[in-house]
Amino acid sequence: MWGGRFSAQPSDIMRMINASVGFDQRLARQDIQGSKAHATMLAAQGIITQDDRDAILSGLDAILAEIEAGAFDFSDELEDIHLNVEARLKERIGDAGGRLHTGRSRNDQVATDFRLWVREQLDWMDTLIARLMRALLDQADAHADTIMPGFTHLQSAQPVTFGHHMLAYLEMFARDRGRFADCRARMNESPLGAAALAGTPYPIDRDATAAALGFDRPMANSLDAVSARDFALEAMAAATICATHLSRLSEEIVIWTSAQFRFVALSDAFTTGSSIMPQKRNPDAAELVRAKVGRITGSLTALTIVMKGLPLAYSKDMQEDKEPVFEAFDALDLSLQAMAGMVADMVPNERRLAEAAGAAFSTATDLADWLVMRLNMPFRDAHHVTGRIVAMAEREGVTLDALSLEQMQSVELGITEAVFDVLTPLASATSRTSYGGTSPERVREQVARWRATLS
Ligand code: ARG
């Protein structure tokens, strides 16, 4: 492509370090989409003839068909997807192929292709997150009044509902979806027509190519257009945060499926057996989703470091932008799909959850609140009295609601039979009716709200 200036061939190592077609062939469809928009605009502006445009458009379609059929011979000597496609175009249509690159450079070309690719990924993540949210919503709906222990420090704290726990994740994923949407809105500007860095003397129409590619407008500064990669960083930052949410839910699933917890059962579809221990059912999908966040965060870090300190405008460093982004979105794609499958198939063990919800004096706060509300005790005193009653139950080896009224009265005389109404896990969760609280009533309201939003 630059034989005019060069007389010797690059060394093999130069070729190896320089070639990106091994990975950027994933941009083939976007590259051809961008080239078609460019050629159409060139003809509309009278920069190339209608005949050349027609030859270019049908040539590009044929090349895309070859690539999709696996019949395209990618060559490292032609460096990247852009030069591979262009060379093949010249092979197929002759001279007209050489006119496609008028008024553009690989710098605005790759920036355009990559934006189109990332934008498609953002849309796909939106679909996948919505799917996962619906799976969480169905579980929340079915288990709005399934009582389970709520934890702080992974110690039993207060009873909550399983539905409430599912909706907590639904809220996180809704924000992830919002972050991807924000990123999409900000990135949806076209670099095409910025050319190498300074713009072009040809009378191109950047509004037309932007519109043809679904961008809201052309980018306003050609130097920025060819060298901005913050859209990819932002997409990966959103991906990283989403992956942390997936990782937290995975961790809970790993814990919940253990023999010690038995809170939920996973389906055969998302577990594996052991080659040596016949009794095992391992939550591999959850473990792998838990781990993928490492790869995704690593990708964000990799590109952040590539971009830091790069002077304007394009530098070849930026060719290193693609693999981390591909890797991050491949990992997130799989993770979201695996998680949606696990959540949809997961069966909560209601008896076991109820039993665990009552353990570890989980209604102690309810006892203290009762003392405040019924006996008008200052909360600090109520906390102290409750602590003594818990100590007594611990000595006796029973739950709070299994103590007798006399035993409680030996600590606080004012306690009456009515206290037993608040000491069960169900009563505890049901009483938490504040907005955003765990009571089945509040959970059902949230389920209805999300049902309306997600349908
Ligand atoms: N393969 C290159 C990349 O991914 C395309 C742009 C090449 N531009 C250049 N000035 N050499 O960045």
Side-chain angles (χ1 to χ4, degrees):
M1 291 283 166
W2 38 82
R5 168 87 168 74
F6 284 59
S7 49
Q9 291 297 314
S11 78
D12 289 347
I13 296 297
M14 176 59 198
R15 194 171 289 149
M16 281 168 73
I17 196 171
N18 203 32
S20 56
V21 71
F23 50 86
D24 67 16
Q25 56 184 268
R26 282 187 76 169
L27 301 177
R29 192 163 43 74
Q30 293 77 12
D31 192 63
I32 286 173
Q33 191 186 354
S35 289
K36 287 175 74 176
H38 184 66
T40 305
M41 177 278 291
L42 290 177
Q45 296 299 105
I47 302 168
I48 63 171
T49 65
Q50 315 262 322
D51 285 351
D52 283 348
R53 174 200 60 199
D54 294 345
I56 290 170
L57 295 185
S58 54
L60 288 170
D61 283 337
I63 291 169
L64 183 59
E66 286 176 0
I67 293 173
E68 283 175 346
F72 190 95
D73 195 11
F74 290 105
S75 155
D76 269 2
E77 271 148 57
L78 292 166
E79 271 191 46
D80 54 25
I81 182 65
H82 323 293
L83 296 184
N84 270 267
V85 170
E86 200 182 324
R88 181 78 184 114
L89 186 65
K90 276 184 218 145
E91 243 170 58
R92 290 191 67 110
I93 68 168
D95 273 357
R99 298 191 193 280
L100 169 61
H101 212 53
T102 314
R104 78 168 184 189
S105 146
R106 275 190 295 158
N107 296 349
D108 59 336
Q109 188 178 355
V110 71
T112 303
D113 297 359
F114 199 29
R115 255 174 215 259
L116 290 172
W117 193 91
V118 170
R119 191 179 70 186
E120 281 179 32
Q121 287 297 307
L122 296 182
D123 291 343
W124 178 232
M125 294 308 118
D126 185 73
T127 302
L128 293 183
I129 295 175
R131 242 182 242 172
L132 172 56
M133 287 171 70
R134 275 190 283 273
L136 288 162
L137 182 61
D138 288 344
Q139 288 287 3
D141 202 352
H143 296 285
D145 44 23
T146 298
I147 305 298
M148 69 176 284
F151 297 87
T152 62
H153 314 266
L154 197 57
Q155 309 290 315
S156 283
Q158 293 172 351
V160 296
T161 53
F162 191 80
H164 197 53
H165 203 112
M166 293 295 103
L167 289 179
Y169 282 102
L170 189 150
E171 293 282 343
M172 294 176 226
F173 291 119
R175 289 193 297 275
D176 289 328
R177 224 180 152 195
R179 266 182 283 272
F180 283 126
D182 291 347
C183 173
R184 191 193 196 285
R186 205 170 358 264
M187 73 165 298
N188 201 34
E189 295 187 332
S190 175
L192 193 58
L197 73 164
T200 170
Y202 296 98
I204 60 169
D205 182 352
R206 294 192 60 208
D207 290 301
T209 48
L213 297 171
F215 289 116
D216 296 327
R217 63 193 81 82
M219 291 179 79
N221 183 296
S222 62
L223 294 167
D224 178 44
V226 293
S227 58
R229 294 294 182 272
D230 54 297
F231 70 90
L233 292 175
E234 187 176 357
M236 281 198 288
T240 297
I241 296 172
C242 181
T244 67
H245 294 152
L246 287 167
S247 190
R248 296 180 74 173
L249 179 51
S250 298
E251 169 73 356
E252 302 226 58
I253 291 173
V254 170
I255 293 172
W256 289 352
T257 52
S258 69
Q260 289 69 26
F261 271 74
R262 286 182 293 114
F263 280 9
V264 300
L266 290 175
S267 68
D268 290 356
F270 291 98
T271 48
T272 61
S274 158
S275 56
I276 177 167
M277 297 166 282
Q279 84 285 9
K280 291 272 277 193
R281 174 193 282 282
N282 294 326
D284 294 43
E287 295 168 85
L288 289 164
V289 173
R290 182 172 63 183
K292 292 285 184 200
V293 65
R295 197 182 275 268
I296 296 170
T297 311
S299 302
L300 170 62
T301 307
L303 184 56
T304 304
I305 295 170
V306 167
M307 292 311 296
K308 83 161 277 298
L310 276 191
L312 298 184
Y314 177 84
S315 297
K316 197 61 175 263
D317 308 51
M318 287 181 194
Q319 181 163 285
E320 293 285 311
D321 59 358
K322 290 164 210 61
E323 287 164 293
V325 174
F326 294 158
E327 185 169 18
F329 280 97
D330 287 348
L332 190 62
D333 180 341
L334 264 179
S335 298
L336 284 167
Q337 299 206 53
M339 185 55 83
M342 280 188 281
V343 170
D345 286 6
M346 184 167 79
V347 180
N349 181 340
E350 295 180 26
R351 270 189 43 198
R352 175 67 196 128
L353 287 168
E355 176 190 288
F361 315 108
S362 63
T363 55
T365 316
D366 299 270
L367 174 54
D369 288 339
W370 187 89
L371 295 170
V372 171
M373 291 196 268
R374 295 305 171 84
L375 305 187
N376 201 24
M377 218 180 252
F379 184 79
R380 278 293 151 222
D381 297 348
H383 187 284
H384 184 75
V385 167
T386 304
R388 291 181 57 202
I389 294 174
V390 166
M392 175 190 290
E394 194 164 38
R395 272 198 310 277
E396 304 281 323
V398 295
T399 58
L400 284 180
D401 58 344
L403 288 171
S404 69
L405 181 60
E406 291 69 36
Q407 283 173 311
M408 291 206 212
Q409 286 175 337
S410 73
V411 178
E412 169 50 55
L413 245 180
I415 295 178
T416 67
E417 196 67 35
V419 78
F420 290 103
D421 292 344
V422 303
L423 294 183
T424 65
L426 177 63
S428 170
T430 305
S431 74
R432 293 193 150 64
T433 53
S434 54
Y435 178 76
T438 198
S439 77
E441 191 187 347
R442 291 287 96 88
V443 170
R444 282 203 192 83
E445 284 166 9
Q446 292 299 317
V447 165
R449 178 170 76 86
W450 280 113
R451 194 65 79 190
T453 312
L454 286 172
S455 62

